[in-house]
């Protein structure tokens, strides 16, 4: 257990392919972590008590009272909260409770702390949300900071698991792909677990016989995640924001609340994700979760990977279009359609990102293409190019007095 302050950060995310299908357990998505971050500062209090405070819980209430909590030796009530957790605080409190349960299971002493959160995922001037996964990033960063405070050293996948356990305490509707991208960083291929199973084992009747330690090492139905490295170095990404924030929970709910998506659409979505991963990585171009080092492999230079990448992006877009038609939702809004068709005109591969209905669209191309013309046309159409890049790191911790690189690195 450290008695010094700890700083932790976690990146936001963007979906590249597999949205909606990945909500169904066992199905796939490809995501990237982006270089905007949520920052958590953990300060030991020297007592069993602490507070949770965030500048991102409600931007209209910067002086909102913090949530107070205290630690316990009881694994099933390892953190007690004195006020109802709402908004952003729900995820922070769930993350604290999850790590404190792990701490209590390991018979480590109680040690309270204050958590202060600062989010840089949204627009600094207006507070507009870009849809970069703030709830996931704050959960991941809180898990990383609290684990370090107690001297625990989870791997990147275990940080994902702890944050996923915390997330299902709040909701089982999210796939957890955003949590995986924030925890691992870079490009992440992800198959979602059965969240109903996880919620039962972590917080329901199954928790009587299942520990956090069990869940960190055992198999989760449907779960697979790994960090991949594109074989073509410098593959370019451009992100445009339509200026219309989307309600991801509402959109996903409209699509999946009644019945699961048809098997053929799920299989075609998975095939698009698989084709895109294969095209980006090339033979032996990937690397395992958290290793950070690409495997040996040559960069594809004959043009076939380039064509395959474009075809896979187009296939993923087509699947989303069919989902929208079948479920009667507007995934690709007029603004997103303009973003995509403009990018296609400029020779990029493009589609909406995430739930759609607003927020961001993404465009990919080979190294060396000048993005200036695309960004000029987006701007003229009322679409804001965002200065986002793939984050090379996922969850990261350091003592609070250690310099850390800022957003946009």
């Amino acid at each position: 257990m450290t008695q010094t302050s700890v700083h932790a950060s976690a990146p936001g995310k963007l979906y590249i392919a597999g949205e909606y299908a990945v909500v169904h357990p066992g199905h796939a998505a490809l995501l990237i972590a982006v270089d905007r971050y949520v920052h958590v500062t953990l300060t030991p209090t020297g007592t069993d008590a602490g507070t949770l405070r965030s500048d991102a819980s409600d931007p209209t209430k910067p002086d909102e009272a913090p949530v107070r909590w205290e630690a316990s030796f009881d694994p099933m009530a390892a953190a007690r909260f004195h006020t109802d957790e709402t908004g952003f605080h729900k995820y922070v409190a769930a993350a604290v409770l999850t790590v404190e349960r792990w701490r209590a299971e390991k018979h480590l002493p109680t040690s309270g702390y204050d958590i202060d959160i600062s989010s840089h995922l949204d627009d600094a001037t207006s507070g507009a949300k870009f849809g970069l996964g703030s709830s996931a990033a704050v959960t991941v960063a809180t898990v990383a900071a609290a684990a370090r405070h107690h001297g625990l050293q989870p791997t990147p996948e275990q940080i994902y698991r702890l944050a996923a356990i915390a997330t299902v305490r709040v909701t089982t509707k999210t796939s957890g792909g955003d949590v995986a991208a924030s925890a691992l960083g870079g490009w992440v291929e992800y198959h979602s677990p059965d969240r109903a199973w996880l919620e039962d084992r972590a917080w329901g009747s199954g928790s009587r016989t299942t520990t956090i330690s069990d869940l960190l090492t055992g198999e989760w139905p449907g779960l697979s995640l790994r960090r991949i490295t594109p074989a073509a170095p410098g593959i370019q990404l451009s992100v445009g924001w339509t200026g219309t924030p989307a309600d991801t929970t509402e959109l996903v709910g409209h699509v999946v609340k009644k019945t699961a998506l048809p098997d053929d659409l799920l299989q075609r979505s998975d095939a698009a994700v698989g084709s895109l991963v294969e095209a980006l990585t090339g033979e032996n171009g990937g690397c395992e979760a958290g290793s950070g080092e690409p495997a040996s492999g040559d960069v594809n230079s004959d043009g076939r990977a380039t064509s395959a990448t474009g075809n896979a992006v187009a296939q993923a877009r087509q699947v989303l279009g069919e989902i929208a038609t079948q479920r009667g939702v507007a995934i690709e809004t007029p603004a997103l359609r303009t973003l995509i068709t403009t990018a296609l005109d400029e020779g990029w591969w493009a589609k909406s990102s995430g739930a759609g209905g607003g927020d961001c669209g993404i465009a990919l191309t080979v190294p060396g293409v000048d993005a200036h013309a695309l960004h000029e046309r987006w701007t003229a159409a009322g679409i804001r190019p965002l200065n986002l890049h793939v984050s090379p790191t996922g969850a990261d911790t350091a003592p609070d007095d250690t310099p850390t690189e800022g957003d946009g690195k």
Side-chain angles (χ1 to χ4, degrees):
M1 166 178 57
T2 179
Q3 291 301 318
T4 61
S5 295
V6 173
H7 177 85
S9 63
K13 64 79 179 110
L14 281 171
Y15 274 90
I16 302 299
E19 307 92 330
Y20 288 106
V22 75
V23 176
H24 298 70
H27 290 281
L30 178 65
L31 304 95
I32 56 169
V34 297
D35 58 348
R36 288 195 181 212
Y37 303 86
V38 166
H39 299 280
V40 166
T41 299
L42 181 153
T43 305
T45 62
T47 71
D48 288 342
T51 59
L52 314 177
R53 187 190 299 273
S54 171
D55 72 355
S57 58
D58 186 343
T60 68
K61 301 177 182 177
D63 298 322
E64 190 174 10
V67 173
R68 301 187 181 280
W69 73 282
E70 62 183 28
S72 166
F73 286 107
D74 180 2
M76 297 312 296
R80 297 187 179 95
F81 300 90
H82 295 278
T83 54
D84 292 336
E85 316 92 65
T86 59
F88 226 51
H89 286 148
K90 292 186 297 186
Y91 293 93
V92 182
V96 168
L97 178 57
T98 301
V99 176
E100 291 302 312
R101 277 185 56 189
W102 191 27
R103 180 267 310 160
E105 289 172 7
K106 290 182 168 293
H107 307 291
L108 297 175
T110 57
S111 174
Y113 43 83
D114 294 334
I115 290 280
D116 288 282
I117 297 149
S118 176
S119 175
H120 299 268
L121 299 188
D122 304 325
D123 184 73
T125 303
S126 66
K129 294 185 177 297
F130 297 139
L132 301 181
S134 57
S135 297
V138 73
T139 308
V140 167
T142 302
V143 159
R148 182 183 177 106
H149 169 71
H150 289 301
L152 300 166
Q153 297 181 320
T155 65
E157 179 169 335
Q158 288 176 330
I159 289 175
Y160 156 79
R161 288 186 177 221
L162 289 164
I165 290 166
T167 299
V168 297
R169 181 172 173 80
V170 179
T171 177
T172 58
K173 293 180 180 179
T174 177
S175 71
D178 47 2
V179 174
S182 288
L184 270 62
W187 297 71
V188 176
E189 182 184 12
Y190 176 75
H191 293 71
S192 65
D194 184 332
R195 279 90 63 205
W197 174 91
L198 179 59
E199 192 276 336
D200 176 70
R201 295 302 189 279
W203 307 108
S205 60
S207 65
R208 300 189 190 103
T209 57
T210 305
T211 65
I212 297 297
S213 297
D214 293 336
L215 290 171
L216 291 183
T217 57
E219 293 292 325
W220 289 12
L223 175 64
S224 172
L225 73 165
R226 64 169 182 148
R227 178 168 168 162
I228 66 169
T229 298
I235 187 165
Q236 290 195 82
L237 167 75
S238 279
V239 181
W241 185 58
T242 65
T244 305
D247 189 330
T248 298
T249 301
E250 182 179 353
L251 279 164
V252 173
H254 278 306
V255 170
V256 302
K257 68 180 179 180
K258 292 183 179 179
T259 58
L261 292 172
D263 284 343
D264 68 309
L265 282 178
L266 294 174
Q267 291 167 5
R268 286 168 54 203
S269 179
D270 287 349
V273 171
S275 296
L276 187 52
V277 169
E278 182 179 359
L280 289 171
T281 60
E283 184 178 358
N284 298 323
C287 66
E288 295 302 319
S291 70
E293 295 296 333
S296 60
D298 296 328
V299 174
N300 291 325
S301 59
D302 60 5
R304 288 182 296 174
T306 297
S307 175
T309 301
N311 290 341
V313 172
Q315 182 183 355
R317 182 191 177 200
Q318 182 178 359
V319 170
L320 286 179
E322 292 183 33
I323 291 172
T325 298
Q326 184 187 91
R327 295 299 162 96
V329 297
I331 294 176
E332 197 172 283
T333 62
L336 280 171
R337 192 169 301 115
T338 297
L339 181 155
I340 293 165
T341 56
T342 301
L344 294 173
D345 287 345
E346 293 294 328
W348 296 63
W349 316 304
K351 62 182 288 294
S352 59
S353 175
D359 279 338
C360 294
I362 53 104
L364 300 170
T365 192
V366 294
V369 174
D370 186 2
H372 183 70
L374 172 61
H375 292 175
E376 278 194 333
R377 290 187 62 186
W378 274 355
T379 301
I383 295 162
R384 177 177 169 182
L386 299 181
N387 184 27
L388 294 176
H389 309 88
V390 178
S391 173
T393 60
D396 187 34
T397 61
D400 194 39
D401 58 357
T402 301
T404 58
E405 295 199 43
D407 298 288
K409 63 187 175 185

